Amino acid sequence: MKRLPVFFLMIFVIVAMTWVAGCRSPESPATENADLMTREESPNLNDPYGGYNMKDELPGFGDPALAAEYGDESVQDFDDPFASDSDVAVTDRAGCDRIFLMITWGNLERDSALTHVTDWSGSLSVDPGILLLKRIIRFEPNDEILPRTERDLLEWKSVTRGGFDGILVRVIPRPSLTAADSTIDSSATYIRFMTDPVKVEFTLDQLPGLHRVITLPDGNAVAFNAVRIPQAGCPHGFLHGGWFNHPERSGGVFHGRWASVDGRIHGILKGIYGENDAGERVFFGKMISANGRFEGIMKGRWAPDPAIPNGGWFAGRWVGRNLRAKGGLKGHWQRSDHCNGGFFRGRWAMNCDS
C-alpha cells in the first residue's frame, strides 16, 4: 500500500501534462467553448474532448436501461439508529478525518450467463470503533439489514442471482482506552467482512485509498473501495460501472454512476476508451446529473497493471462548461473471464481552491 500514492502522483503529472497539451487550440477559449456547446456528438479518441459536447441530456442519457441500472432507485438511504451516538458527535466536533467504505458483492461483471444463487448473508465489524450505515445498494425485497444491536457490528441478509448488492458505511475508529494520550492505533484497529463466500480483514491504516477486488472461481466478486477525507476537505466521492469491448475493433465503451462520499447519487457517466492514433491508451466520458444536467467531460489514461490480475488502473480529470479543470479521478478496472468486458471502481475529488 505504501507505493500507491507515489504511483498515482506520477500518473496525475502525466495526465495533467497530456491535458494541457491536448487542449491547445488555435481557436480562442470562448470559440472552443461555444463549439462544444453546439456541436453534434461523435465519439472520437483523437478529439481533445472525445467528440462529446456540453449539452444537457435526458435523465440516464435517455436510456431506460442506464437509468434503471445506475439511477436513484438502485440506492436506498438508511436511517442508522447509532447516528446519534455520543461518540459520533464527539468525533465530529473534534474535526477528525472521515472514512467511508463502499463494498459491493455478486455479479460485478454483469455477466448474463452467471445466474446461480449465492447467499452473501453476513456481517461487517470494526474493532474498536463504530459503523454507521449510510446507503444500501441494490437490495431487493428479500434482502435486508438486520436490526442493529451493537454499534461496532452490521449484519445483513443478501442473496444474488445474476446481480449484485452492496453497502456504504462510515467507519469511526475509537481511541485506545489504555493509551495515555488516547490516540488511535491504526494498525491495531480491524475491519472484518464475513460471509460464506468471502472472509477478509483490513487494518485501519490500509483503508485510505483502498481498492481491492476478490474474484471467485464462479465469476462472483467482492470489491472494497475506501475514501478518507478531512472534516473540512473538498468534495470527494465514488464512481463505478462496467466497460465493454467493441466486437470488431480495439477499445470500447463504458458507463456507470458517480456518487458523493456518503453514497448520494450525483449522476450517470458514459464514455469511450481505447488507443488513439498516437498509440496512447486514453478514455473520454461525459458526466450528467441525475436529472440530465451537464456536469463535465472526463479525459485520462489507462493501462494494465501486473499487480492487478486481469486488470489495471485509470486516472484523469474532468472539465466543466468553462473548460477549466474541476477535479480528478482515479481507480482500477478488471477484466471479466465470462464476457467481453469487465467492471471498474474508483474515486473522484474536486479541485476546490487548489
Side-chain angles (χ1 to χ4, degrees):
M1 298 298 294
K2 299 294 185 183
R3 66 182 181 87
L4 284 177
V6 175
F7 171 76
F8 277 114
L9 178 60
M10 294 173 63
I11 294 303
F12 271 102
V13 170
I14 295 171
V15 170
M17 294 174 65
T18 302
W19 185 277
V20 172
C23 290
R24 290 193 182 114
S25 169
E27 298 178 331
S28 69
T31 302
E32 189 175 19
N33 188 60
D35 177 60
L36 289 171
M37 288 295 298
T38 60
R39 72 177 181 178
E40 292 298 316
E41 285 191 347
S42 179
N44 179 358
L45 293 172
N46 294 295
D47 183 87
Y49 299 98
Y52 291 100
N53 62 35
M54 294 184 173
K55 295 179 181 179
D56 294 337
E57 302 275 355
L58 293 173
F61 292 99
D63 186 334
L66 283 184
E69 181 77 7
Y70 299 111
D72 290 338
E73 294 78 8
S74 61
V75 178
Q76 307 166 36
D77 294 346
F78 186 83
D79 186 13
D80 196 310
F82 289 111
S84 57
D85 189 283
S86 59
D87 282 355
V88 175
V90 169
T91 301
D92 286 338
R93 286 198 299 269
C96 297
D97 293 351
R98 292 171 293 160
I99 303 171
F100 294 87
L101 173 63
M102 181 175 70
I103 309 173
T104 49
W105 56 80
N107 182 13
L108 303 185
E109 301 173 351
R110 312 303 291 148
D111 176 11
S112 59
L114 202 165
T115 58
H116 61 270
V117 175
T118 305
D119 190 343
W120 294 93
S121 300
S123 67
L124 182 73
S125 63
V126 57
D127 180 22
I130 302 172
L131 293 174
L132 296 183
L133 179 59
K134 306 296 291 186
R135 301 286 186 273
I136 303 168
I137 303 171
R138 300 180 63 89
F139 268 39
E140 297 175 332
N142 292 330
D143 303 322
E144 64 174 328
I145 300 296
L146 299 183
R148 297 210 60 188
T149 59
E150 303 292 337
R151 60 185 182 179
D152 59 357
L153 177 67
L154 175 67
E155 298 176 294
W156 60 81
K157 291 182 179 179
S158 167
V159 175
T160 61
R161 182 175 182 176
F164 68 89
D165 295 337
I167 55 175
L168 192 147
V169 301
R170 180 179 175 188
V171 180
I172 303 175
R174 286 175 57 86
S176 171
L177 298 179
T178 60
D181 58 358
S182 297
T183 58
I184 294 172
D185 185 351
S186 60
S187 64
T189 299
Y190 297 94
I191 295 90
R192 300 181 177 97
F193 177 83
M194 307 294 287
T195 64
D196 281 345
V198 173
K199 295 177 175 64
V200 64
E201 178 181 274
F202 302 100
T203 59
L204 183 63
D205 57 3
Q206 291 177 303
L207 283 190
L210 172 71
H211 174 88
R212 181 176 177 185
V213 177
I214 299 174
T215 303
L216 303 180
D218 66 358
N220 279 305
V222 184
F224 301 87
N225 292 268
V227 171
R228 184 172 190 166
I229 60 175
Q231 184 73 356
C234 297
H236 287 63
F238 297 97
L239 52 92
H240 62 91
W243 55 272
F244 308 91
N245 287 322
H246 193 283
E248 299 177 354
R249 56 175 172 79
S250 63
V253 301
F254 64 86
H255 49 66
R257 170 196 296 132
W258 60 300
S260 66
V261 72
D262 64 352
R264 289 187 177 88
I265 302 302
H266 278 339
I268 294 177
L269 53 90
K270 70 172 184 178
I272 56 174
Y273 64 88
E275 290 190 9
N276 60 21
D277 289 347
E280 300 163 328
R281 296 186 177 105
V282 297
F283 69 86
F284 299 92
K286 185 172 181 177
M287 308 162 68
I288 61 173
S289 68
N291 62 11
R293 185 183 67 250
F294 171 81
E295 294 291 345
I297 293 178
M298 308 158 52
K299 176 178 180 175
R301 297 291 187 91
W302 63 273
D305 185 347
I308 304 174
N310 295 318
W313 57 265
F314 64 89
R317 302 186 72 80
W318 81 91
V319 298
R321 293 185 191 273
N322 59 5
L323 299 183
R324 294 179 181 175
K326 295 185 65 175
L329 53 93
K330 63 181 179 180
H332 293 81
W333 53 269
Q334 197 138 6
R335 183 180 300 109
S336 169
D337 291 329
H338 307 275
C339 58
N340 191 28
F343 61 92
F344 64 88
R345 295 289 187 273
R347 300 173 295 279
W348 60 267
M350 294 288 286
N351 284 335
C352 295
D353 292 335
S354 56

